[in-house]
């Protein structure tokens, strides 16, 4: 999301202190009392009183305890806010695919990976969905525009792990096909090994083959296959269609 540079904006119906504070923090996506104090040099009493007044006028909104955003800029900073309220977290799945331009779908949900459990919630018309992983599996993200997002190699891991979070297997195929030229296959393989879920080797191998994508890590994938067959989509019922080479039950086509 692009940042809007708008210095020294004139805010109507505000006191001089309120206007000054807003002009100091308007290009900071999320701010706390400490940040506001650092920007103005005011004492904490004046900061608290000014923030309280701005909140009462709905000029700023509280995201969580001691964390605020300028209300009219919420749409601009949705990604930053979503990551902040589910911290530690990073954006992934269909949301990240949309950000990277890997899907034509218009995504309304904000989908994240976190080490903590969060209930599904709605914020500013957007559903925030969180998939919880163990700390050991929380890796492979980078900072973009003030929020954390899955690296492209990690995005593949996540959509293989939870295909339903990316629109199902067919949409996952499209995403993998679109992102493949941009990834480092060795990094992807190291991520797969670190994530340590044999189902992902089977799903990736099968999808690469069905997409007719040449892969230099195919032999490595074959060596890591599970001993039993795995579901292509763990959220759907078992079918009688199998792929022996990749030990996949084809239940999402």
């Amino acid at each position: 999301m692009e940042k809007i540079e708008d210095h020294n904006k004139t805010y109507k119906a505000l006191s001089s202190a309120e206007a000054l504070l807003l002009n100091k923090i308007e290009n900071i996506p999320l701010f706390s009392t400490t940040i506001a104090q650092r920007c103005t040099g005011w004492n904490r009493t004046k900061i608290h009183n000014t923030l309280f007044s701005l909140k009462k006028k709905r000029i700023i909104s509280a995201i969580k305890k001691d964390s605020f955003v300028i209300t009219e800029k919420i749409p601009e900073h949705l990604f930053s806010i979503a990551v902040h309220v589910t911290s530690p977290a990073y954006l992934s799945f269909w949301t990240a695919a949309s950000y990277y331009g890997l899907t034509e779908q218009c995504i309304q949900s904000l989908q994240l990976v976190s080490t903590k459990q969060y209930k599904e919630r709605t914020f500013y018309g957007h559903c925030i969905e969180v998939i919880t992983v163990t700390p050991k599996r929380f890796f492979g993200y980078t900072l973009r525009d003030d929020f954390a997002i899955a690296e492209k190699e990690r995005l593949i891991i996540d959509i293989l792990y939870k295909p339903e979070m990316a629109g199902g297997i067919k949409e996952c195929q499209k995403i993998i096909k679109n992102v493949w030229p941009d990834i480092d296959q060795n990094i992807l393989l190291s991520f797969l090994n670190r994530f340590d879920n044999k189902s992902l080797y089977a799903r990736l191998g099968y999808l690469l083959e069905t997409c007719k994508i040449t892969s230099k890590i195919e032999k490595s994938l074959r060596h890591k296959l599970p001993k039993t067959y795995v579901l292509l989509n763990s959220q759907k019922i078992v079918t009688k269609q199998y792929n022996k080479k990749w030990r996949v039950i084809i239940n999402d086509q």
Side-chain angles (χ1 to χ4, degrees), residues 90 138-142 149-155 191 194:
Y90 65 85
F138 190 76
F139 63 88
Y141 52 90
T142 187
I149 189 168
E151 295 177 0
K152 291 179 179 179
E153 293 82 2
R154 176 62 198 231
L155 174 58
F191 281 4
R194 187 174 173 184

Side-chain angles (χ1 to χ4, degrees), residues 188-241:
L188 174 59
L189 184 60
S190 70
F191 281 4
L192 281 165
N193 294 337
R194 187 174 173 184
F195 196 83
D196 193 25
N197 183 315
K198 290 187 180 296
S199 296
L200 306 193
Y201 297 99
R203 289 174 188 157
L204 179 59
Y206 172 79
L207 293 179
L208 290 175
E209 188 168 285
T210 55
C211 289
K212 298 181 180 180
I213 296 174
T214 302
S215 168
K216 65 182 182 181
I217 62 172
E218 180 178 343
K219 288 184 179 179
S220 297
L221 297 178
R222 293 286 300 275
H223 289 158
K224 295 283 188 175
L225 290 179
K227 293 181 179 180
T228 59
Y229 281 76
V230 301
L231 293 172
L232 194 55
N233 189 334
S234 61
Q235 299 297 306
K236 294 197 173 184
I237 62 173
V238 177
T239 67
K240 293 183 179 180
Q241 288 184 282

Side-chain angles (χ1 to χ4, degrees), residues 67-135:
S67 184
F68 307 92
V69 63
I70 296 175
T71 304
E72 67 179 19
K73 291 195 173 186
I74 288 176
E76 177 186 349
H77 299 305
L78 271 175
F79 284 0
S80 298
I81 293 168
V83 171
H84 184 67
V85 299
T86 55
S87 179
Y90 65 85
L91 290 162
S92 192
F93 306 107
W94 233 351
T95 305
S98 178
Y99 176 84
Y100 286 130
L102 302 172
T103 177
E104 297 176 351
Q105 300 295 327
C106 182
I107 310 304
Q108 292 299 316
S109 295
L110 300 173
Q111 300 165 313
L112 303 102
V113 174
S114 176
T115 56
K116 295 183 179 179
Q117 290 188 336
Y118 290 93
K119 292 182 179 180
E120 187 175 299
R121 68 180 79 178
T122 301
F123 182 80
Y124 211 76
H126 293 262
C127 179
I128 297 178
E129 301 175 273
V130 180
I131 294 297
T132 306
V133 298
T134 62

